[in-house]
């Protein structure tokens, strides 16, 4: 079945990406042709080169990063925790581990090859925002992949190699070349863009409009082929 692509540049550590995922899912649940929509998660690093310190939780990390007090940082994380409840998410940012997300992005490309990218994306979001798990830790990523339904041995072999490094870098380069400087960033049918967090109604309207356009384009470029006698390269044609 042909499907219209919705590409999403995202990072596992991006709170707006997780809430937008929920709102897009709400829009898709009401979209009559949802089985003809393909969601593709694209890599974008919010903190490239970040060194992961598992003992340093998010409030302390924010305090040091922004030069504010720990109580001010905690107030910020509490605000985010309360905000996401509107879309049914439960955060525990007091235990969240600020982590380099590059390995998580590699895992998502691996999951894409197995048609499980959206499931693994959800598992990684929950692990980071709600469970205080280290999404830069290879054994942790293997366990999360297994819980999501991927093969543990294959995941381990992949993560302990450099596989999908080029895929992550390619996504990041594509974002830069396209002028994408913040996330989430959505591209519907290769041309219609939504930048930043959006409400479900905006996603619903965009789905309807771009899907109609996609159908018209597909009809215009499609053609029926009536087979007859023909000659093939390398064969005698008499």
């Amino acid at each position: 079945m042909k499907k219209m692509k919705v590409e999403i540049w995202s990072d596992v550590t991006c709170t707006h990406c997780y809430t937008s995922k929920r709102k897009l899912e709400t829009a898709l649940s009401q979209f009559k042709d949802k089985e003809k929509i393909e969601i593709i998660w694209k890599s974008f690093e919010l903190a490239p080169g970040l060194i992961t310190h598992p003992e340093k939780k998010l409030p302390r990390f924010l305090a040091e990063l922004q030069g504010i007090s720990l109580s001010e940082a905690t107030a910020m994380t509490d605000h985010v925790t309360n905000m996401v409840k509107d879309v049914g998410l439960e955060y525990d940012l007091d235990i969240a581990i600020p982590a380099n997300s590059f390995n998580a992005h590699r895992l998502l490309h691996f999951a894409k090859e197995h048609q499980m990218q959206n499931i693994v994306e959800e598992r990684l979001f929950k692990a980071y925002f709600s469970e205080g798990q280290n999404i830069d830790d290879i054994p942790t990523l293997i366990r999360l992949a297994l819980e999501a339904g991927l093969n543990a041995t294959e995941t381990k072999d992949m993560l302990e190699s450099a596989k999908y490094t080029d895929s992550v870098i390619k996504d990041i380069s594509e974002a830069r070349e396209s002028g994408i400087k913040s996330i989430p960033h959505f591209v519907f049918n290769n041309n219609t863009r939504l930048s930043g967090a959006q409400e479900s109604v905006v996603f619903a309207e965009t789905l309807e409009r771009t899907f109609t356009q996609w159908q018209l384009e597909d009809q215009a470029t499609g053609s029926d082929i009536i087979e007859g006698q023909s000659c093939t390269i390398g064969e005698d044609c008499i």
Side-chain angles (χ1 to χ4, degrees):
M1 180 190 297
K2 288 186 177 180
K3 296 186 178 184
M4 187 188 83
K5 292 191 300 183
V6 177
E7 298 172 303
I8 310 170
W9 270 265
S10 169
D11 196 343
V12 178
T13 64
C14 167
T15 187
H16 294 303
C17 296
Y18 199 5
T19 56
S20 292
K21 181 177 185 291
R22 281 291 181 273
K23 292 179 180 181
L24 176 58
E25 288 167 345
T26 297
L28 280 169
S29 70
Q30 301 165 359
F31 185 62
K32 61 181 174 56
D33 291 301
K34 57 180 173 290
E35 75 281 354
K36 294 182 180 179
I37 302 297
E38 180 184 9
I39 304 296
I40 301 172
W41 293 90
K42 308 277 278 187
S43 301
F44 189 104
E45 284 189 288
L46 282 176
L50 175 68
I51 298 175
T52 304
H53 295 288
E55 74 286 351
K56 187 180 293 186
K57 309 307 181 189
L58 186 58
R60 179 184 164 194
F61 175 80
L62 288 174
E64 294 178 359
L65 180 68
Q66 299 189 15
I68 58 179
S69 68
L70 185 59
S71 61
E72 288 175 313
T74 301
M76 291 171 59
T77 56
D78 287 347
H79 173 72
V80 172
T81 297
N82 290 326
M83 179 184 68
V84 302
K85 289 179 180 178
D86 290 342
V87 292
L89 294 174
E90 293 289 338
Y91 281 6
D92 190 351
L93 299 181
D94 288 342
I95 63 172
I97 299 172
N100 189 296
S101 60
F102 197 90
N103 283 326
H105 283 298
R106 290 201 298 125
L107 175 58
L108 287 165
H109 279 278
F110 175 67
K112 181 183 176 183
E113 293 292 323
H114 294 270
Q115 293 77 50
M116 294 184 63
Q117 194 183 37
N118 203 54
I119 296 171
V120 174
E121 182 79 46
E122 175 68 27
R123 188 67 192 93
L124 290 171
F125 273 137
K126 185 177 181 181
Y128 178 80
F129 285 107
S130 303
E131 299 172 349
Q133 300 203 51
N134 183 355
I135 53 91
D136 186 30
D137 179 63
I138 300 300
T140 299
L141 288 174
I142 294 169
R143 176 171 48 78
L144 294 173
L146 178 62
E147 291 172 6
L150 288 170
N151 180 278
T153 301
E154 292 178 1
T155 302
K156 181 176 183 293
D157 291 344
M158 183 278 294
L159 287 170
E160 290 180 349
S161 72
K163 195 170 183 182
Y164 298 106
T165 294
D166 289 346
S167 299
V168 176
I169 293 173
K170 181 180 178 182
D171 279 357
I172 294 170
S173 297
E174 187 179 347
R176 187 182 303 112
E177 292 165 5
S178 300
I180 299 172
K181 298 179 180 179
S182 62
I183 53 174
H185 192 95
F186 304 82
V187 180
F188 293 73
N189 191 28
N190 297 317
N191 54 36
T192 300
R193 297 174 178 268
L194 294 177
S195 182
Q198 306 290 336
E199 295 301 323
S200 296
V201 64
V202 177
F203 285 128
E205 292 170 352
T206 306
L207 280 168
E208 291 287 352
R209 185 174 69 256
T210 56
F211 187 76
T212 298
Q213 179 187 19
W214 175 77
Q215 285 182 309
L216 291 172
E217 291 171 352
D218 187 53
Q219 292 169 4
T221 57
S223 61
D224 293 328
I225 299 177
I226 300 174
E227 298 287 354
Q229 291 181 320
S230 62
C231 297
T232 303
I233 294 174
E235 294 183 354
D236 292 330
C237 192
I238 299 174

